[in-house]
Amino acid sequence: MENLEQTFPDTLISNGAPTTLRAHVVKVLSASILSGKYKPGDRLNESQIARELRISRIPVREALSQLQEQGLVQNRERRGMFVTNIGPEEVLQISSLRIILETEALRLAQARMTPAILAALDDLVCRMDNWNGTLLEAAALDLEFHRTLWKAAGNPYLERALNAVMVPLFAHKTLEHVTRDVRRWRMSHHRILLDAVAGRSNEDPQALLLTHMRMAHTEPERYSTQPEKPS
């Protein structure tokens, strides 16, 4: 613990830094993953990381568990923790399932919309419109927006299924190195999606979801029965 400030970069222990050691480790590992120090598919050795940070293995283990919940890390049985690595075909297969599950969630959320849920979603969209932070913060806002819609559907089993399927896919896109302008362009479409769910437009939620997905994926409907994008 005495070496903590020597180990962590100044940018991570300045104003607004996390107050717990686990949060520090989460932030350091997230930055290392997103910067490419740890690449998709790399094994994250708990003991080695603890030695590098000059701390015990317990906060490292807790941080890796939290990163697994966020989708940035995958636990492979009897092999350990690895940086999330999803192949192109897996991305398309997950995307095809997303079309089915999230369309249902959007339509249920549309039918069950309340002023409180709408206010929360409007706030998230405004924060995305005014985003000027890191790409990781942009990705977190994106996921929070969709998770809020899934919860608004009112079906905990559907919400659980979407989290299980979608969090690794969101993490995969977070690890993709895109420009700030591309990330901002993708985020801008959330307002159009929200307007449909909120009943402020007559657009079909499924059609908008497909458009939304095509902003980040090529042919997300390939493994589904949905019509392909016109050429």
Side-chain angles (χ1 to χ4, degrees):
M1 290 293 294
E2 294 178 355
N3 295 312
L4 184 60
E5 292 192 359
Q6 298 173 8
T7 305
F8 287 86
D10 291 341
T11 55
L12 297 183
I13 57 175
S14 58
N15 292 337
T19 56
T20 67
L21 182 55
R22 179 182 67 180
H24 271 302
V25 180
V26 167
K27 195 164 187 178
V28 168
L29 291 179
S30 295
S32 296
I33 291 170
L34 295 173
S35 69
K37 177 184 176 181
Y38 297 122
K39 296 177 173 56
D42 281 357
R43 183 170 182 266
L44 298 170
N45 187 291
E46 186 181 294
S47 299
Q48 182 179 338
I49 293 170
R51 285 195 299 270
E52 289 176 357
L53 299 181
R54 301 181 186 180
I55 57 177
S56 73
R57 292 172 57 180
I58 293 175
V60 176
R61 185 179 305 124
E62 292 175 345
L64 289 172
S65 178
Q66 185 171 330
L67 289 173
Q68 183 184 1
E69 292 177 6
Q70 295 174 4
L72 288 177
V73 170
Q74 295 173 316
N75 187 2
R76 299 181 187 173
E77 191 173 0
R78 293 190 294 276
R79 295 184 61 195
M81 293 289 199
F82 292 77
V83 179
T84 293
N85 186 27
I86 303 176
E89 290 302 300
E90 289 178 284
V91 168
L92 294 177
Q93 289 163 358
I94 294 172
S95 295
S96 69
L97 186 56
R98 176 185 181 182
I99 294 169
I100 298 168
L101 295 177
E102 192 161 15
T103 293
E104 180 68 3
L106 291 176
R107 287 178 173 157
L108 285 170
Q110 187 177 44
R112 297 169 54 89
M113 187 58 62
T114 67
I117 294 170
L118 182 56
L121 290 166
D122 273 326
D123 177 67
L124 283 167
V125 169
C126 285
R127 288 163 62 190
M128 283 191 265
D129 286 344
N130 295 301
W131 164 75
N132 194 31
T134 66
L135 293 177
L136 182 59
E137 288 167 347
L141 284 171
D142 190 352
L143 181 56
E144 186 179 355
F145 174 86
H146 288 274
R147 275 181 160 164
T148 302
L149 282 172
W150 303 341
K151 189 173 187 66
N155 184 334
Y157 294 95
L158 177 59
E159 181 186 358
R160 200 173 304 147
L162 277 161
N163 272 294
V165 169
M166 291 302 304
V167 169
L169 186 60
F170 269 82
H172 171 79
K173 297 309 296 180
T174 302
L175 293 172
E176 183 184 53
H177 292 285
V178 298
T179 66
R180 293 177 66 84
D181 286 342
V182 168
R183 181 71 70 182
R184 194 180 301 280
W185 172 66
R186 290 177 181 174
M187 291 171 71
S188 68
H189 192 260
H190 290 84
R191 184 171 294 282
I192 299 172
L193 194 60
L194 176 57
D195 284 345
V197 176
R200 296 190 292 229
S201 80
N202 295 320
E203 298 282 354
D204 176 50
Q206 185 177 70
L208 286 177
L209 177 62
L210 271 168
T211 299
H212 188 69
M213 293 169 65
R214 286 170 180 151
M215 297 174 79
H217 306 285
T218 302
E219 295 183 285
E221 70 279 9
R222 185 186 299 175
Y223 285 94
S224 76
T225 57
Q226 297 302 311
E228 296 181 0
K229 183 179 180 180
S231 57

